[in-house]
Amino acid sequence: MTSHDFCSPLGTIRYRLEDRVLVRMEFVSGDALLPGDALVDAALDAYFACGADINLPYRFNGGTDFQRKVWQALTRIPKGSTCSYGELAKAIGHPRSARAIGQACRANPLLLVVPCHRVIGATGALSGYGGVEGIDRKSWLLTHERNTN
């Protein structure tokens, strides 16, 4: 497994590849220090420049069956769109599991590729995504996707 860093407009993104397949992507504190991978960096550059879809091979290493079901459902939320935790719970056949959806989003190992930032509260409020700094990132990502869709 190899780790790489990408310097994004929102901070450093660290990602891990296993046999050329993406298995982890997350924001980390500090500056980008690890050399990037050309294919992944090009996909991230295109996403941040013009909102291009991030079409990279990925695999979920770990997670419960429920979490993997949620993560797969997240990939079906169209770019520039949102849905609530409750709507997502209903869509996967677990209508009373909005809070569990939130926990699965929090455990998402592949930010941006599995777009948990597109899930919002029932009132339309931005919630989750790692505290105040995370809410700012979530807002930025949603605005970026709407403006480049």
Side-chain angles (χ1 to χ4, degrees):
M1 187 174 343
T2 59
S3 294
H4 307 273
D5 287 346
F6 178 83
C7 185
S8 84
L10 300 173
T12 301
I13 295 173
R14 178 155 298 149
Y15 56 92
R16 291 184 187 93
L17 299 171
E18 191 173 279
D19 300 321
R20 306 286 311 147
V21 175
L22 195 60
V23 295
R24 186 124 185 112
M25 183 178 282
E26 61 192 334
F27 285 107
V28 296
S29 299
D31 296 329
L33 301 173
L34 302 173
D37 173 82
L39 182 65
V40 177
D41 285 1
L44 290 171
D45 277 334
Y47 173 80
F48 284 107
C50 62
D53 290 327
I54 301 173
N55 293 318
L56 295 167
Y58 66 89
R59 172 177 59 243
F60 298 125
N61 284 354
T64 65
D65 289 341
F66 179 80
Q67 287 172 327
R68 286 191 301 276
K69 189 174 187 177
V70 171
W71 299 337
Q72 285 297 333
L74 292 171
T75 66
R76 294 188 291 274
I77 303 170
K79 187 176 62 163
S81 299
T82 58
C83 77
S84 73
Y85 295 97
E87 290 168 335
L88 191 58
K90 288 176 190 168
I92 67 165
H94 295 271
R96 296 185 195 184
S97 298
R99 288 184 186 201
I101 296 291
Q103 293 299 317
C105 287
R106 181 173 299 171
N108 174 12
L110 291 164
L111 91 126
L112 302 180
V113 175
V114 177
C116 56
H117 60 275
R118 296 178 187 158
V119 184
I120 60 174
T123 64
L126 301 184
S127 59
Y129 220 71
V132 174
E133 182 179 84
I135 296 297
D136 291 343
R137 284 180 177 147
K138 186 172 191 165
S139 176
W140 190 99
L141 291 167
L142 291 171
T143 300
H144 174 67
E145 290 183 352
R146 287 182 184 126
N147 291 339
T148 58
N149 200 8

